């Protein structure tokens, strides 16, 4: 009977130790879950920031493309005006040359 009581106490002690380990593991899991939630939240914030930065960069690229298009248009208009001016000047020279003959 004493041996039975001793076995019961041993089993009870082992049970208590297991319960303690389980409790510690649960606490550890809860802590890790909170850490993971914080990490996920930080990653979401980082992704949101990067998305905004990409949108800004895309907008700046579009602005630069529009500026390039405007500059190209002005350059083409200037070249066109120069060609017209040269043609008119050439016609004037030819007409006056023909008048001299």
């Amino acid at each position: 009977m004493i041996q039975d009581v001793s076995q019961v106490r041993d089993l009870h002690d082992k049970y208590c130790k297991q319960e303690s380990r389980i409790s510690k593991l649960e606490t550890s899991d809860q802590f890790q879950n909170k850490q993971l939630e914080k990490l996920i939240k930080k990653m979401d914030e980082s992704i949101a920031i990067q998305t905004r930065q990409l949108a800004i960069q895309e907008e700046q690229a579009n602005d630069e493309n529009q500026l390039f298009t405007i500059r190209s248009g002005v350059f083409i208009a200037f070249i066109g005006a120069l060609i017209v001016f040269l043609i008119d000047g050439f016609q004037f020279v030819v007409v006056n040359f023909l008048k001299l003959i």
Side-chain angles (χ1 to χ4, degrees):
M1 176 137 159
I2 295 175
Q3 194 175 17
D4 290 340
V5 172
S6 176
Q7 286 177 342
V8 169
R9 283 187 184 155
D10 285 344
L11 286 174
H12 179 72
D13 288 344
K14 287 179 182 178
Y15 174 79
C16 289
K17 286 179 183 177
Q18 288 288 44
E19 282 294 315
S20 176
R21 287 180 188 156
I22 290 171
S23 177
K24 287 177 183 177
L25 287 173
E26 287 175 345
T27 302
S28 176
D29 283 348
Q30 290 172 353
F31 176 76
Q32 288 177 353
N33 285 341
K34 287 180 183 178
Q35 293 298 97
L36 285 173
E37 287 174 6
K38 288 179 183 178
L39 180 62
I40 290 170
K41 188 175 182 178
K42 286 182 181 179
M43 289 175 65
D44 287 344
E45 291 171 358
S46 176
I47 290 170
I49 290 170
Q50 289 175 352
T51 302
R52 280 183 258 146
Q53 288 174 341
L54 286 173
I56 290 169
Q57 288 174 353
E58 184 178 345
E59 186 177 320
Q60 289 173 344
N62 287 339
D63 290 346
E64 289 175 6
N65 287 340
Q66 288 176 351
L67 183 60
F68 177 75
T69 303
I70 291 169
R71 287 181 179 167
S72 297
V74 169
F75 178 74
I76 291 170
F78 177 75
I79 295 298
L82 183 64
I83 291 171
V84 169
F85 177 76
L86 290 174
I87 290 173
D88 283 345
F90 182 72
Q91 283 179 342
F92 178 75
V93 169
V94 170
V95 168
N96 283 336
F97 180 72
L98 290 175
K99 284 183 182 176
L100 289 174
I101 298 183

